[in-house]
Amino acid sequence: MPNNALEIANLPRRDILRLAGLAAATTALTAGARPARAAPSPAPVLPAIKQIDAGVLNIGYLEYGPASGVPVLLFHGWPYDVHAFAEVAPLLAAKGHRVIVPHLRGHGSTLFRSDATPRNAQQAALGADGIALMDALGIRTAVVAGFDWGARTADIMAALWPERCRALVSVSGYLIGSQAGNAKPLPPAAELQWWYQFYFATERGKLGYAANTKAFNKQIWHQASPDWAFDDATYERSAASFANPDHVAIVIHNYRWRLGLAEGESRFDALEARLAAAPPITIPTITMEGDRNGAPHPAPEAYRAKFAAAYEHRTISGGIGHNLPQEAPAAFAQAVLDVSRSAA
């Protein structure tokens, strides 16, 4: 094919038109990689939302299954909500588990109990939220599982409070980090995947996210799960949770804190120091990855050594993206069941 504009200009008109057609086709294939609009899906039947005071939060959560069952806590990520587990939770409840699905801080009906509490989303704060929820519900030990922010939360709980965590399922593996580690530059292709983190580092990004939250997060869904043919109704059900009054503040703080651009709370300093040392996880674990995860994520071999007990990694095929529990609920539920049994 011609290499530059001058060569193209000297071609016969029919060849110029042919090249234009090829270019248009290529654009359609790349820019149109998103799946075609899916037929509307029926709304999942969720139990009534419950609320409980837990630490600095009043946490909204869904509960499934018998109160006497082995507890399972399922943590969603950003920009998602409890609907990510709408199919997983009933599968676990049917096997006798007590399943708790909370809204993370800044999402859904989870609210701060005091206006004076910092709208802080550093990693230790979210891990502490999980333990506070268990305390409030009277749960001594539980299987913890999640993806994205939720996987990091579950990882932190397992690393810092292994006596409270029976077993772990973590999408994308070991996600515990530190501000010092995040200060190290990545190769350009990896940095590009984090475009929204750099956007959020600016005041323009904060204003833009506040003004366009739903459209922004829908773009993230497409990027993170390029083969997932979710319909508008599916997205809108989760998008309702982004109307939380603290949502923007929590999201912006989370990403700014990672880059050392925002302070955390001093009460978490000791926990962050322990997390910065990348402690091993010493409870039975299954890590998972979708074969079409479009979000930044480490390779499984990069974190294998961080799991010091019974361990298995599962890659789920079939065009499964970042929101693995919602895209492959049976596979996620099976991992929870299997790791729970291994910890018996």
Side-chain angles (χ1 to χ4, degrees):
M1 293 183 66
N3 295 314
N4 54 48
L6 181 60
E7 291 183 35
I8 292 174
N10 289 329
L11 287 173
R13 174 178 169 78
R14 65 177 181 278
D15 289 337
I16 292 175
L17 293 175
R18 180 176 60 84
L19 286 173
L22 286 172
T26 301
T27 300
L29 286 172
T30 55
R34 294 179 186 172
R37 183 185 297 269
S41 61
V45 178
L46 301 182
I49 194 79
K50 297 182 178 182
Q51 300 289 144
I52 193 166
D53 287 342
V56 300
L57 301 173
N58 179 261
I59 295 179
Y61 67 98
L62 304 177
E63 184 167 5
Y64 300 76
S68 60
V70 172
V72 177
L73 270 64
L74 302 177
F75 298 101
H76 68 81
W78 170 83
Y80 306 94
D81 82 332
V82 295
H83 285 89
F85 299 103
E87 294 182 63
V88 170
L91 293 174
L92 298 177
K95 295 295 185 179
H97 283 281
R98 179 189 182 190
V99 185
I100 306 296
V101 189
H103 280 292
L104 298 185
R105 54 173 61 193
H107 294 73
S109 61
T110 292
L111 299 171
F112 285 87
R113 297 171 64 189
S114 170
D115 291 340
T117 303
R119 272 38 179 179
N120 172 16
Q122 69 185 106
Q123 60 179 355
L126 272 72
D129 289 346
I131 296 298
L133 177 59
M134 291 177 65
D135 289 343
L137 292 172
I139 295 173
R140 178 59 193 166
T141 61
V143 178
V144 291
F147 71 105
D148 193 82
W149 288 21
R152 182 175 296 105
T153 297
D155 288 351
I156 289 168
M157 293 171 67
L160 296 183
W161 297 281
E163 73 281 1
R164 305 295 302 274
C165 301
R166 174 187 177 95
L168 168 69
V169 173
S170 178
V171 176
S172 299
Y174 189 91
L175 297 178
I176 297 171
S178 69
Q179 288 179 321
N182 289 333
K184 298 174 182 177
L186 300 172
E191 296 282 19
L192 180 62
Q193 288 189 302
W194 286 108
W195 66 271
Y196 51 88
Q197 180 170 253
F198 301 113
Y199 182 65
F200 290 158
T202 69
E203 282 306 296
R204 182 185 182 197
K206 180 179 179 180
L207 293 172
Y209 188 61
N212 303 291
T213 306
K214 286 175 62 175
F216 190 102
N217 289 346
K218 194 171 189 179
Q219 176 65 34
I220 296 293
W221 277 37
H222 283 299
Q223 175 182 324
S225 299
D227 290 353
W228 182 26
F230 63 87
D231 57 69
D232 290 342
T234 296
Y235 176 72
E236 290 296 331
R237 285 191 285 270
S238 288
S241 292
F242 311 147
N244 182 291
D246 300 305
H247 180 77
V248 173
I250 288 298
V251 172
I252 297 300
H253 185 270
N254 179 283
Y255 287 101
R256 289 186 179 182
W257 180 88
R258 296 190 200 192
L259 295 179
L261 301 176
E263 296 292 328
E265 293 177 78
S266 60
R267 66 192 182 99
F268 294 120
D269 286 352
L271 295 181
E272 292 294 354
R274 291 173 62 189
L275 295 173
I281 290 176
T282 57
I283 62 173
T285 298
I286 293 176
T287 60
M288 308 184 76
E289 194 62 81
D291 64 342
R292 283 284 285 156
N293 185 356
H297 63 280
E301 57 269 20
Y303 51 72
R304 170 62 186 92
K306 303 310 298 181
F307 298 96
Y311 174 77
E312 180 185 350
H313 176 77
R314 298 178 181 179
T315 297
I316 309 304
S317 60
I320 304 303
H322 190 58
N323 185 0
L324 195 152
Q326 196 163 357
E327 297 177 60
F332 191 89
Q334 191 61 55
V336 173
L337 294 171
D338 291 345
V339 80
S340 181
R341 280 194 293 265
S342 75

